[in-house]
Amino acid sequence: MKILFKGAHVFPISKKPFTGDVLVENGKIRQIGEKIKPGKGTEIFDVSGKYLFPGFIDAHCHIGLYPEGLGATESEGNEMTDPVTAHLQALDAFYPDDVAISKALSGGVTTVFVVMGSANPVGGQGFIAKFNGKTAAEMCIKNPAGVKMAFGENPKRVYSEKKIMPNTRMGTASVIRSFLMKSQDYMKKKESILKEGKEFTERDPKYEVGEKLLKRELPARMHAHRADDILTAIRIAEEFNLSFVIEHCTEGYKIADILASKKVPVVAGPLLTFATKLELRDMTMGALKILSEKGVLTALMCDHPVIPLEHATVQAAAAMRYGVKEEELLKMLTINPATILGLSEKVGSLEPGKDADIVIWSGHPFDMKSVVEKVFIEGNMVYSK
């Protein structure tokens, strides 16, 4: 099946915008350029004057775990019964009929990393989804795709109420270190038994996940707001040679030189919101300008449902008031999160060979009057206004 989008203002992200065409074949982008010949059997969409973008990507959200309209009592986002729940999978709690999914499409968001909340120091495994299916399995494109860890106030608050460790920041760090050390011991024991030609019969789902972290098969997705928490997360990650990403990174701008020198990827945000706790008091949208200027690989999250995914471009547009360049913000919604998620060869820009995840806007997405008219994922229309 071939589709030709003709006459749009095309924003490839990987190169400068131009007015022209995009040819899609069998769910992939085949060609972009000016005056592309359609060929026989090609479905043509005249999108003259419209704005054509790749689908936006949010590399940290809780959509489907906190379904819209059901209230906090029906949420599935936190298993607040044990500080270490590495073996949990967010996919098992995902609600594919969450009405927020269609609303996310109406905001141009097509791909997300879905992860549990930050109640536990080691929370569990998140997955990557595209909004082009009816079931969790149909939407999921990678599971697991990262292990949630949390520093700062949230684990302290949850477990102080339960009167168990952790009650402090050092307690949280200790819980995470202990999990990783036990995972190391688990690996050594397994390797020893397997070397003897025996069957390993003592499998523990928690430490199976720890093994994947230690082998860098899964990245640690490390929730940290304050600068000192970010540095603690980095210290532990380096101690155990983990692949990792800093989530939220609210005060990352204070240590941007360190993040840049260590090449630490960041999923920043949400920033267009109220400071609901002490560790957010120095929050500023100006952080994005500092991080991008220092060369930190930065994606911008909504942390849905904190900011509904449908408003991803509203948050990004607001950041321009703080001096963040438009082209940098567009990268934070597209190729940067794709790179952080390990998907940059498939999504995040409009290039031949990549998935045809295409959004047709009435105007520029950062213009508040603009609306999404059509969304295509892998060449199939999944939303039409």
Side-chain angles (χ1 to χ4, degrees):
M1 178 182 176
K2 293 183 181 180
I3 303 172
L4 181 62
F5 300 95
K6 287 195 67 66
H9 301 299
V10 180
F11 283 70
I13 303 300
S14 54
K15 61 182 183 179
K16 290 183 178 180
F18 67 95
T19 299
D21 310 338
V22 176
L23 179 63
V24 170
E25 184 174 5
N26 297 326
K28 300 287 185 180
I29 296 170
R30 182 176 176 184
Q31 186 180 353
I32 65 171
E34 298 178 6
K35 298 180 180 179
I36 297 173
K37 295 181 179 180
K40 291 183 179 180
T42 302
E43 184 177 5
I44 298 175
F45 284 86
D46 184 354
V47 286
S48 300
K50 309 297 182 183
Y51 285 66
L52 193 151
F53 278 81
F56 292 145
I57 303 166
D58 193 302
H60 177 121
C61 76
H62 310 290
I63 197 166
L65 303 185
Y66 294 84
E68 189 169 324
L70 295 185
T73 58
E74 300 296 328
S75 72
E76 300 281 355
N78 275 307
E79 178 68 39
M80 296 183 284
T81 55
D82 185 338
V84 178
T85 54
H87 51 309
L88 300 185
Q89 293 196 14
L91 183 64
D92 294 328
F94 182 73
Y95 182 56
D97 292 328
D98 187 351
V99 297
I101 292 173
S102 63
K103 292 182 179 180
L105 287 169
S106 77
V109 177
T110 56
T111 303
V112 293
F113 175 65
V114 182
V115 69
M116 54 278 296
S118 49
N120 300 339
V122 184
Q125 303 159 81
F127 70 99
I128 301 171
K130 283 190 181 186
F131 296 141
N132 62 340
K134 293 183 178 179
T135 68
E138 288 175 350
M139 292 186 198
C140 177
I141 61 172
K142 186 176 182 181
N143 179 58
V147 179
K148 179 71 176 286
M149 294 182 178
F151 297 79
E153 298 299 322
N154 289 11
K156 280 178 54 184
R157 183 186 69 252
V158 170
Y159 290 98
S160 292
E161 294 172 358
K162 298 179 186 297
K163 306 299 183 185
I164 62 174
M165 191 182 223
N167 279 207
T168 61
R169 280 177 162 78
M170 58 186 171
T172 296
S174 176
V175 167
I176 294 172
R177 275 200 181 92
S178 177
F179 163 69
L180 292 168
M181 290 171 69
K182 288 178 180 177
S183 297
Q184 288 176 326
D185 294 341
Y186 178 84
M187 286 173 63
K188 289 176 183 177
K189 185 175 183 179
K190 182 198 275 190
E191 288 169 5
S192 177
I193 290 173
L194 292 175
K195 274 186 179 180
E196 294 175 3
K198 298 178 182 178
E199 183 182 358
F200 183 67
T201 59
E202 301 175 38
R203 288 193 301 165
D204 187 310
K206 286 186 181 180
Y207 302 122
E208 288 287 323
V209 176
E211 182 177 357
K212 290 180 180 179
L213 280 166
L214 292 167
K215 289 182 175 179
R216 298 173 67 91
E217 294 172 4
L218 287 175
R221 303 295 299 259
M222 302 174 111
H223 162 120
H225 287 282
R226 254 172 38 180
D228 57 335
D229 291 327
I230 296 166
L231 292 173
T232 298
I234 294 172
R235 188 163 57 249
I236 292 174
E238 291 180 340
E239 184 179 333
F240 291 91
N241 191 32
L242 304 180
S243 171
F244 70 102
V245 180
I246 298 297
E247 314 286 310
H248 303 298
C249 204
T250 303
E251 291 188 4
Y253 66 94
K254 296 181 179 181
I255 52 170
D257 286 329
I258 295 174
L259 295 173
S261 67
K262 292 178 177 291
K263 295 183 167 59
V264 176
V266 165
V267 183
L271 296 171
L272 190 62
T273 185
F274 183 70
T276 55
K277 47 191 174 183
L278 185 62
E279 61 190 345
L280 300 181
R281 65 181 179 179
D282 288 341
M283 177 174 61
T284 171
M285 295 194 82
L288 298 175
K289 181 175 187 289
I290 296 171
L291 291 171
S292 64
E293 288 179 348
K294 292 292 184 178
V296 178
L297 176 61
T298 305
L300 180 58
M301 72 156 91
C302 286
D303 202 23
H304 180 100
V306 178
I307 297 174
L309 273 173
E310 63 195 280
H311 299 315
T313 56
V314 176
Q315 176 178 228
M320 290 194 294
R321 293 183 177 180
Y322 295 79
V324 192
K325 294 179 180 178
E326 175 190 309
E327 56 268 32
E328 291 302 318
L329 287 164
L330 289 172
K331 289 178 182 177
M332 291 179 194
L333 295 175
T334 54
I335 195 61
N336 289 4
T339 300
I340 288 169
L341 294 176
L343 296 175
S344 59
E345 292 184 0
K346 292 186 175 182
V347 296
S349 61
L350 300 176
E351 299 178 69
K354 288 196 173 186
D355 293 350
D357 297 353
I358 291 171
V359 181
I360 308 299
W361 290 80
S362 63
H364 194 288
F366 292 171
D367 181 341
M368 293 301 98
K369 298 188 296 295
S370 299
V371 296
V372 170
E373 297 188 351
K374 286 181 172 55
V375 179
F376 297 79
I377 296 180
E378 296 176 14
N380 295 310
M381 190 187 300
V382 295
Y383 174 87
S384 182
K385 183 174 173 60

